[in-house]
Amino acid sequence: MAKALTSEEFDRTLGQFKLLIVGIVVLFVVPLLVYTLYLDRRLDAFEDSLRYRPPQEVDGYTAEDAAGFLAANPVQGQVVYVPAYSHIYHDDGDPYLLTITLSVRNTSLDREIFVKSVRYFDTKGKEVKSYLAKPLRLPPLATTEFLVERDDTTGGSGANFLVEWIATEKVTEPIIEAVMIDTKGQQGISFARSGKPVREVVPVVDLEENESNE
Protein backbone atom coordinates (compact mmCIF):
# COMPACT_ATOMS: atom_id res chain seq x y z
CA MET A 1 0.00 0.00 0.00
CA ALA A 2 1.39 3.36 -1.11
CA LYS A 3 2.43 5.69 1.61
CA ALA A 4 0.49 8.97 1.67
CA LEU A 5 2.61 12.08 1.28
CA THR A 6 2.66 14.48 4.09
CA SER A 7 1.97 18.15 3.49
CA GLU A 8 5.66 18.99 3.80
CA GLU A 9 6.68 16.25 1.37
CA PHE A 10 4.07 17.39 -1.13
CA ASP A 11 5.26 21.00 -0.93
CA ARG A 12 8.85 19.87 -1.34
CA THR A 13 7.97 17.73 -4.39
CA LEU A 14 5.97 20.58 -5.92
CA GLY A 15 8.89 22.95 -5.39
CA GLN A 16 11.27 20.52 -7.09
CA PHE A 17 8.86 20.19 -10.02
CA LYS A 18 8.72 23.98 -10.34
CA LEU A 19 12.50 24.16 -10.31
CA LEU A 20 12.59 21.51 -13.05
CA ILE A 21 10.20 23.55 -15.20
CA VAL A 22 12.28 26.69 -14.64
CA GLY A 23 15.41 24.76 -15.55
CA ILE A 24 13.82 23.55 -18.79
CA VAL A 25 12.79 27.12 -19.65
CA VAL A 26 16.28 28.40 -18.94
CA LEU A 27 17.96 25.64 -20.93
CA PHE A 28 15.71 25.64 -24.01
CA VAL A 29 13.30 28.56 -24.24
CA VAL A 30 15.72 31.37 -23.34
CA PRO A 31 18.41 30.29 -25.88
CA LEU A 32 15.69 29.97 -28.48
CA LEU A 33 14.50 33.51 -27.77
CA VAL A 34 18.07 34.82 -27.90
CA TYR A 35 18.68 33.04 -31.22
CA THR A 36 15.43 34.44 -32.62
CA LEU A 37 16.43 37.97 -31.66
CA TYR A 38 19.85 37.36 -33.21
CA LEU A 39 18.29 36.25 -36.50
CA ASP A 40 15.95 39.26 -36.50
CA ARG A 41 18.88 41.62 -36.06
CA ARG A 42 20.86 39.86 -38.81
CA LEU A 43 17.87 40.16 -41.13
CA ASP A 44 17.42 43.84 -40.30
CA ALA A 45 21.13 44.45 -40.91
CA PHE A 46 20.97 42.60 -44.24
CA GLU A 47 17.92 44.56 -45.40
CA ASP A 48 19.58 47.79 -44.31
CA SER A 49 22.65 46.93 -46.40
CA LEU A 50 20.40 46.58 -49.47
CA ARG A 51 18.44 49.77 -48.83
CA TYR A 52 18.73 52.45 -51.51
CA ARG A 53 21.15 55.24 -50.67
CA PRO A 54 21.65 58.37 -52.78
CA PRO A 55 24.99 58.54 -54.61
CA GLN A 56 27.73 60.27 -52.64
CA GLU A 57 29.06 63.43 -54.21
CA VAL A 58 32.80 63.96 -54.41
CA ASP A 59 33.95 66.80 -52.19
CA GLY A 60 36.04 69.46 -53.87
CA TYR A 61 35.10 68.46 -57.44
CA THR A 62 34.10 71.36 -59.69
CA ALA A 63 32.99 71.79 -63.29
CA GLU A 64 36.43 73.17 -64.13
CA ASP A 65 37.91 69.77 -63.24
CA ALA A 66 36.06 68.23 -66.21
CA ALA A 67 37.28 70.83 -68.68
CA GLY A 68 40.26 68.71 -69.65
CA PHE A 69 38.27 65.55 -70.31
CA LEU A 70 38.35 64.30 -73.89
CA ALA A 71 35.40 62.85 -75.78
CA ALA A 72 35.45 59.06 -76.05
CA ASN A 73 36.48 57.85 -79.51
CA PRO A 74 36.08 61.27 -81.18
CA VAL A 75 35.30 61.20 -84.90
CA GLN A 76 34.09 63.77 -87.40
CA GLY A 77 32.04 61.59 -89.69
CA GLN A 78 31.20 57.98 -90.55
CA VAL A 79 29.31 55.70 -92.86
CA VAL A 80 27.44 53.24 -90.63
CA TYR A 81 26.02 49.88 -91.72
CA VAL A 82 22.83 48.95 -89.83
CA PRO A 83 21.31 45.45 -90.25
CA ALA A 84 17.52 45.37 -90.45
CA TYR A 85 14.80 42.78 -90.99
CA SER A 86 11.67 43.55 -93.02
CA HIS A 87 10.59 40.03 -92.13
CA ILE A 88 11.90 36.93 -90.40
CA TYR A 89 10.86 33.30 -90.87
CA HIS A 90 8.85 31.04 -88.59
CA ASP A 91 7.13 27.62 -88.61
CA ASP A 92 7.95 25.99 -91.96
CA GLY A 93 9.55 29.08 -93.46
CA ASP A 94 6.55 31.39 -93.41
CA PRO A 95 7.47 35.11 -93.41
CA TYR A 96 6.71 37.15 -90.29
CA LEU A 97 6.39 40.81 -91.28
CA LEU A 98 7.96 43.48 -89.06
CA THR A 99 7.89 47.26 -88.68
CA ILE A 100 11.38 48.79 -88.72
CA THR A 101 12.37 51.98 -86.90
CA LEU A 102 15.84 53.33 -87.64
CA SER A 103 17.01 55.48 -84.72
CA VAL A 104 19.92 57.94 -84.95
CA ARG A 105 20.95 59.42 -81.58
CA ASN A 106 23.45 62.23 -81.21
CA THR A 107 25.48 61.36 -78.09
CA SER A 108 27.46 64.62 -78.04
CA LEU A 109 26.75 66.78 -75.00
CA ASP A 110 27.42 70.09 -76.71
CA ARG A 111 27.94 69.56 -80.47
CA GLU A 112 25.45 69.07 -83.24
CA ILE A 113 25.91 66.57 -86.05
CA PHE A 114 24.45 66.37 -89.56
CA VAL A 115 22.84 63.22 -90.94
CA LYS A 116 23.92 63.51 -94.55
CA SER A 117 22.14 60.49 -96.03
CA VAL A 118 20.02 57.48 -95.04
CA ARG A 119 19.78 54.78 -97.69
CA TYR A 120 17.76 51.57 -97.47
CA PHE A 121 18.93 48.40 -99.23
CA ASP A 122 17.25 45.05 -99.84
CA THR A 123 18.54 41.52 -99.28
CA LYS A 124 20.39 41.50 -102.61
CA GLY A 125 22.15 44.78 -101.84
CA LYS A 126 20.03 46.90 -104.17
CA GLU A 127 19.11 50.38 -102.96
CA VAL A 128 15.34 50.65 -102.70
CA LYS A 129 14.92 54.00 -100.95
CA SER A 130 16.77 57.19 -100.00
CA TYR A 131 15.26 59.14 -97.11
CA LEU A 132 17.02 62.51 -97.26
CA ALA A 133 17.30 65.09 -100.05
CA LYS A 134 19.66 67.27 -97.98
CA PRO A 135 21.53 66.96 -94.66
CA LEU A 136 19.46 66.85 -91.47
CA ARG A 137 20.71 68.85 -88.47
CA LEU A 138 20.69 66.88 -85.21
CA PRO A 139 21.24 69.01 -82.05
CA PRO A 140 23.16 67.73 -79.00
CA LEU A 141 21.49 64.66 -77.41
CA ALA A 142 18.70 64.77 -80.03
CA THR A 143 17.29 61.77 -81.87
CA THR A 144 15.77 61.36 -85.31
CA GLU A 145 13.90 58.33 -86.65
CA PHE A 146 13.09 56.75 -90.01
CA LEU A 147 10.27 54.23 -90.53
CA VAL A 148 9.80 51.22 -92.75
CA GLU A 149 6.17 50.19 -92.47
CA ARG A 150 5.16 46.61 -91.79
CA ASP A 151 3.58 46.11 -95.21
CA ASP A 152 6.70 47.40 -97.00
CA THR A 153 8.35 44.10 -97.92
CA THR A 154 10.94 45.51 -100.35
CA GLY A 155 13.82 45.05 -97.91
CA GLY A 156 13.34 41.40 -97.02
CA SER A 157 15.06 39.39 -94.31
CA GLY A 158 18.51 40.78 -95.19
CA ALA A 159 17.62 44.46 -95.40
CA ASN A 160 20.06 47.10 -94.21
CA PHE A 161 20.67 50.83 -93.95
CA LEU A 162 23.72 52.90 -94.78
CA VAL A 163 23.75 56.05 -92.67
CA GLU A 164 26.28 58.78 -93.36
CA TRP A 165 26.78 61.50 -90.79
CA ILE A 166 29.30 64.31 -90.40
CA ALA A 167 30.13 67.09 -87.95
CA THR A 168 32.04 70.36 -88.13
CA GLU A 169 34.50 69.02 -85.54
CA LYS A 170 35.21 65.74 -83.80
CA VAL A 171 32.42 64.43 -81.55
CA THR A 172 31.45 61.21 -79.81
CA GLU A 173 30.03 58.53 -82.07
CA PRO A 174 26.23 58.62 -82.42
CA ILE A 175 24.20 55.54 -81.54
CA ILE A 176 22.51 54.21 -84.67
CA GLU A 177 20.27 51.15 -84.42
CA ALA A 178 17.31 49.47 -86.07
CA VAL A 179 14.39 48.33 -83.92
CA MET A 180 12.08 45.65 -85.32
CA ILE A 181 8.65 45.03 -83.82
CA ASP A 182 5.27 43.44 -84.48
CA THR A 183 2.32 43.12 -82.11
CA LYS A 184 -0.30 41.62 -84.40
CA GLY A 185 -2.74 39.25 -82.68
CA GLN A 186 -2.02 37.88 -79.22
CA GLN A 187 1.70 37.46 -79.78
CA GLY A 188 4.40 40.09 -80.15
CA ILE A 189 8.04 40.24 -81.08
CA SER A 190 10.67 42.96 -80.87
CA PHE A 191 14.45 43.16 -81.11
CA ALA A 192 17.13 45.68 -82.05
CA ARG A 193 20.36 45.65 -84.02
CA SER A 194 23.16 48.21 -83.63
CA GLY A 195 25.00 49.79 -86.53
CA LYS A 196 28.68 49.25 -87.29
CA PRO A 197 30.92 51.95 -88.80
CA VAL A 198 32.37 50.77 -92.10
CA ARG A 199 34.08 53.96 -93.18
CA GLU A 200 35.32 57.16 -91.55
CA VAL A 201 34.40 60.39 -93.30
CA VAL A 202 36.19 63.73 -93.10
CA PRO A 203 33.86 66.53 -94.22
CA VAL A 204 35.22 68.94 -96.82
CA VAL A 205 32.22 71.28 -96.80
CA ASP A 206 31.21 73.69 -94.03
CA LEU A 207 27.56 72.76 -93.56
CA GLU A 208 26.84 75.67 -91.22
CA GLU A 209 28.11 78.15 -93.83
CA ASN A 210 26.05 76.48 -96.55
CA GLU A 211 22.88 76.60 -94.47
CA SER A 212 23.37 80.32 -93.75
CA ASN A 213 23.62 80.97 -97.48
CA GLU A 214 20.35 79.18 -98.29
Side-chain angles (χ1 to χ4, degrees), residues 71 75-76 78 103-115 136-145 163 165-177:
V75 287
Q76 199 167 349
Q78 293 173 326
S103 174
V104 182
R105 298 171 178 264
N106 183 3
T107 64
S108 176
L109 303 179
D110 51 12
R111 303 294 180 185
E112 63 187 5
I113 66 173
F114 296 86
V115 182
L136 172 67
R137 181 193 296 267
L138 200 58
L141 301 181
T143 300
T144 188
E145 296 171 335
V163 179
W165 69 271
I166 55 178
T168 57
E169 57 185 286
K170 288 188 175 183
V171 296
T172 53
E173 295 181 351
I175 294 176
I176 305 177
E177 58 185 357

Side-chain angles (χ1 to χ4, degrees), residues 191-209:
F191 58 98
R193 291 293 180 267
S194 298
K196 179 179 180 179
V198 294
R199 183 185 302 164
E200 189 167 341
V201 177
V202 178
V204 295
V205 179
D206 190 338
L207 292 176
E208 292 180 329
E209 181 179 345

